[in-house]
Amino acid sequence: MGKITGFLEQVRLYPQYEAPDNRIKHYKEFVHALSDADASKQGSRCMDCGTPFCHNGCPINNIIPDFNDLVYQQDWQGAIDTLSLTNNFPEFTGRICPAPCEAACTLNINNDAVGIKSIEHAIIDKAWANNWIKPQKAKVKTGKRVAIVGSGPAGLACAQQLARVGHDVTVYEKNSRIGGLLRYGIPDFKLEKWLIDRRMGQMQEEGVTFKTGVAVGCDAFPAGAANGASLFISAEELTKQYDAVVLAIGSETPRDLPAPGRDLSGVHYALEWLIPQNQMVAGDGENPINAKGKHVVVIGGGDTGSDCVGTSNRHGAKSVTQFEVMPRPRELEDKSTTSVWPYWPMKMRTSSSHDEGCERDWSVTTKAFIGKNGKVEKLVCARVEFKDGKMLEVEGSEFEVKADLVLLAMGFVHPAQAILDAFGVNKDARHNAQASVDGAGAYATNVDKVFVAGDVRRGQSLVVWAIREGRQAAHHVDAHLMGDSDLPL
């Protein structure tokens, strides 16, 4: 794999970014992909480690050493053929996946991991540029009809796999455009939406039908959801019309912060702001919430919080502050312990949005929202510490911070309960759809011919996990319809 001494000769190269002062003026992607020569050098660093733990770290089990070697050899068509065996949408994961495969890379024990994500990005972009991505049409139609509810990565992956083995697949989406939170939750500066449209074109040629603006099972959605639905179809009607139904509705119910003053104007869930912003970039109307000239406070230190930071800077916020209730992580993981590699390390992570301007603070809890005339003006916060598994406020640590706009980005607690209830699907203790991932009945619910995949089942997670679940659910749906399945697990 790669060059036997490549990792000794080549340093890890990271993609270059457009300068922050320039990129905050637009919503386009700003990552400069690796050149062919640099990608080859990075592929050469794959060290033929014998037991490639990157496979274990990658939820979709990408055949990483093989495509690294093919890129090193400059066999780009072989590389995309290998990558496409396991990943339906490398153009998404190559841009927005946090790359758990790199954390599991053997080189990461005492060196910089192989730049797997940037290599994947280079492979798929070259494949599209050279027209190597072709529709994979089924040679024989089965006559079976499958409905997919939700068009995020889990729903899209499931739909594509099922269409390729001959089923008639219809994807239902409540919003006016396909993509779920790929389209509405992730800002365009991380993932431009023409990438979704291009993949949709391939899927339509493969036989997938898309129906937008359709509310399935219920006519109400959680706060923050981009509900543009104008049509309604009941759960009973859908299950009658189709031989199988897959619920891939994600997990969009946001975690709230029920502190005094929560009802003040200017305090919003992150998606109440990010969704209209993406719609605005797409030309679908103005964002009613504007951060220009405001003191913005983002509560939550994850990816959604980072997206709020980057969008605030593009609006022209006067200041951006981000609070995280957990302690500040160490700058680098402790590689001397056996509890880190090949697992995801806890360490300080700074996103491109933070580089654009943001004041970050950790171990902070918000006690109250204070305002005048119904409008938020400041937060009352305090320091916290964790002892014996409990969060305790540090005595005398209370402080205030100015805030004209507060964005709650503290994650999502569960999927829309009304939709699960409409289908009669059992739920687990976290209110997710209950379904096993093992055995012959994997991804099947307690309701006959109703399956689930993605965040609706496992809870809020990564795009790459959603793709994995969509692919695996497709295998089990196909087996349910046909008796067995040749689709990969």
Side-chain angles (χ1 to χ4, degrees):
M1 292 301 149
K3 186 179 181 182
I4 198 66
T5 57
F7 69 97
L8 298 173
E9 300 170 12
Q10 302 293 339
V11 298
R12 165 77 181 262
L13 292 181
Y14 293 87
Q16 297 299 303
Y17 295 166
E18 182 181 349
D21 288 347
N22 293 329
R23 68 186 190 233
I24 63 171
K25 298 175 184 177
H26 61 77
Y27 289 87
K28 298 288 187 181
E29 292 180 16
F30 51 80
V31 179
H32 303 308
L34 296 177
S35 67
D36 288 4
D38 283 341
S40 176
K41 291 176 182 178
Q42 294 306 290
S44 79
R45 297 184 72 243
C46 193
M47 59 185 291
D48 193 13
C49 55
T51 303
F53 284 89
C54 55
H55 287 187
N56 214 36
C58 176
I60 51 178
N61 305 122
N62 278 339
I63 312 171
I64 295 166
D66 295 59
F67 70 62
N68 282 341
D69 181 60
L70 290 163
V71 169
Y72 166 56
Q73 303 292 345
Q74 293 288 279
D75 182 359
W76 291 93
Q77 196 152 7
I80 187 58
D81 290 344
T82 301
L83 180 55
S84 297
L85 290 173
T86 54
N87 191 348
N88 295 70
F89 314 122
E91 62 269 43
F92 305 155
T93 54
R95 285 169 165 82
I96 61 175
C97 183
C101 55
E102 294 184 11
C105 174
T106 305
L107 264 184
N108 196 43
I109 296 175
N110 65 344
N111 202 324
D112 290 329
V114 174
I116 300 166
K117 179 178 175 179
S118 60
I119 293 172
E120 181 178 319
H121 187 171
I123 292 170
I124 187 61
D125 282 5
K126 180 170 281 291
W128 278 109
N130 286 278
N131 200 30
W132 295 335
I133 306 296
K134 303 287 187 182
Q136 298 179 31
K137 299 180 182 179
K139 295 179 180 178
V140 178
K141 301 292 285 185
T142 66
K144 301 292 186 180
R145 305 179 71 227
V146 181
I148 311 284
V149 183
S151 68
L156 292 179
C158 188
Q160 186 167 60
Q161 293 294 94
L162 290 171
R164 287 176 172 178
V165 292
H167 302 307
D168 291 319
V169 181
T170 301
V171 176
Y172 288 89
E173 170 57 52
K174 67 181 181 293
N175 299 306
S176 60
R177 297 176 189 259
I178 293 296
L181 290 186
L182 275 175
R183 184 178 296 275
Y184 289 109
I186 298 171
D188 286 62
F189 55 81
K190 285 188 175 179
L191 179 72
E192 292 185 27
K193 303 310 180 272
W194 61 268
L195 294 161
I196 302 173
D197 296 333
R198 181 176 63 182
R199 187 60 79 166
M200 279 177 55
Q202 180 205 29
M203 293 177 64
Q204 287 172 318
E205 289 192 55
E206 292 171 341
V208 177
T209 299
F210 294 103
K211 293 189 176 182
T212 57
V214 182
V216 173
C218 73
D219 55 5
F221 295 95
N227 181 10
S230 56
L231 301 173
F232 172 80
I233 182 170
S234 68
E236 182 181 15
E237 187 177 356
L238 201 70
T239 51
K240 282 183 179 179
Q241 289 183 18
Y242 292 89
D243 299 295
V245 176
V246 181
L247 302 181
I249 60 174
S251 180
E252 294 186 21
T253 306
R255 181 174 284 107
D256 204 354
L257 183 57
R262 169 63 180 87
D263 58 346
L264 287 169
S265 175
V267 182
H268 302 274
Y269 292 119
L271 288 186
E272 290 178 329
W273 188 49
L274 294 175
I275 287 172
Q277 184 60 44
N278 284 7
Q279 291 172 324
M280 180 176 173
V281 173
D284 293 343
E286 290 292 315
N287 187 345
I289 306 170
N290 197 322
K292 184 176 177 61
K294 294 180 179 179
H295 296 282
V296 179
V297 176
V298 179
I299 301 177
D303 289 339
T304 303
S306 173
D307 294 342
C308 290
V309 170
T311 305
S312 296
N313 284 321
R314 281 160 180 76
H315 272 221
K318 189 170 185 179
S319 69
V320 183
T321 303
Q322 184 177 29
F323 289 141
E324 168 58 59
V325 73
M326 300 302 292
R328 180 183 177 121
R330 58 184 297 153
E331 291 297 321
L332 297 172
E333 71 269 30
D334 184 359
K335 292 188 177 183
S336 66
T337 69
T338 58
S339 60
V340 179
W341 180 88
Y343 303 107
W344 187 247
M346 290 298 295
K347 65 178 182 179
M348 181 69 172
R349 301 180 192 278
T350 299
S351 74
S352 59
S353 292
H354 296 132
D355 290 336
E356 294 163 1
C358 176
E359 188 72 29
R360 304 170 75 185
D361 205 349
W362 289 263
S363 299
V364 174
T365 186
T366 300
K367 299 180 65 176
F369 305 91
I370 307 296
K372 289 182 181 178
N373 301 318
K375 180 76 173 67
V376 69
E377 292 186 337
K378 61 183 178 180
L379 304 183
V380 177
C381 303
R383 301 285 171 187
V384 296
E385 58 184 357
F386 291 83
K387 291 184 178 180
D388 300 324
K390 296 181 180 180
M391 186 181 77
L392 304 174
E393 182 179 331
V394 176
E395 186 176 352
S397 66
E398 190 172 291
F399 65 98
E400 295 182 352
V401 60
K402 186 171 179 57
D404 306 309
L405 175 62
V406 180
L407 300 167
L408 306 180
M410 303 177 297
F412 303 87
V413 292
H414 52 65
Q417 300 294 283
I419 299 178
L420 298 183
D421 291 342
F423 281 89
V425 171
N426 286 346
K427 290 169 274 190
D428 63 18
R430 297 184 300 158
H431 305 290
N432 298 321
Q434 190 172 59
S436 170
V437 295
D438 301 313
Y443 294 94
T445 70
N446 60 295
V447 181
D448 183 43
K449 72 182 183 181
V450 176
F451 297 75
V452 290
D455 289 4
V456 66
R457 191 202 67 82
R458 66 177 286 115
Q460 181 193 11
S461 191
L462 305 175
V463 166
V464 68
W465 272 106
I467 294 173
R468 172 197 171 108
E469 295 229 340
R471 287 172 61 88
Q472 291 191 336
H475 171 96
H476 291 286
V477 171
D478 186 38
H480 167 78
L481 296 174
M482 308 302 293
D484 62 8
S485 178
D486 291 328
L487 285 172
L489 280 169

